[in-house]
Amino acid sequence: MKLTKDQVKKLRDEGKTLEEIGSIAGVSKQRISQLMQQWNLPRFKKEEPICPWCTSRNVYYRIKLANFICRHCGRVGKRSQFIKGET
Ligand SMILES: [Zn+2]
């Protein structure tokens, strides 16, 4: 089975690990990792927080308010807005 970018992306969205995707496609997880890099897909669910408005990574988390604040543009948002791939 030959995997396409869309298939891999869909499997990742379903929460499959690289190993699981590899076993579906009959290739190693290293190969999946390579492909994802080629296709510019995020290889890890968890990403560094990034400001969705100005794309600055200069953000900080306020535990008390449970939100992120951008040092660059000053906007405040929810965790899911600042961390892509997390819902
Ligand atoms: Zn910002």
Side-chain angles (χ1 to χ4, degrees):
M1 176 180 166
K2 189 150 168 57
L3 278 184
T4 64
K5 180 180 176 176
D6 285 345
Q7 281 171 322
V8 172
K9 194 174 177 300
K10 190 167 165 284
L11 290 166
R12 281 304 271 172
D13 289 345
E14 287 168 8
K16 296 263 193 301
T17 64
L18 297 187
E19 223 156 357
E20 285 167 339
I21 297 170
S23 71
I24 290 167
V27 298
S28 66
K29 72 170 187 184
Q30 283 80 10
R31 179 64 188 140
I32 298 295
S33 176
Q34 262 178 17
L35 284 171
M36 291 184 78
Q37 212 164 10
Q38 259 177 42
W39 293 331
N40 210 18
L41 292 172
R43 274 172 300 154
F44 302 100
K45 272 276 172 206
K46 208 167 194 158
E47 286 187 32
E48 292 284 305
I50 184 166
C51 177
W53 296 284
C54 71
T55 68
S56 169
R57 290 195 182 274
N58 191 7
V59 301
Y60 65 100
Y61 188 63
R62 288 262 289 271
I63 293 166
K64 273 188 187 167
L65 298 173
N67 55 28
F68 274 94
I69 298 157
C70 177
R71 282 196 184 90
H72 188 77
C73 68
R75 286 186 167 96
V76 177
K78 281 184 225 150
R79 185 183 171 84
S80 57
Q81 289 175 287
F82 277 76
I83 300 183
K84 290 179 189 167
E86 258 194 25
T87 46

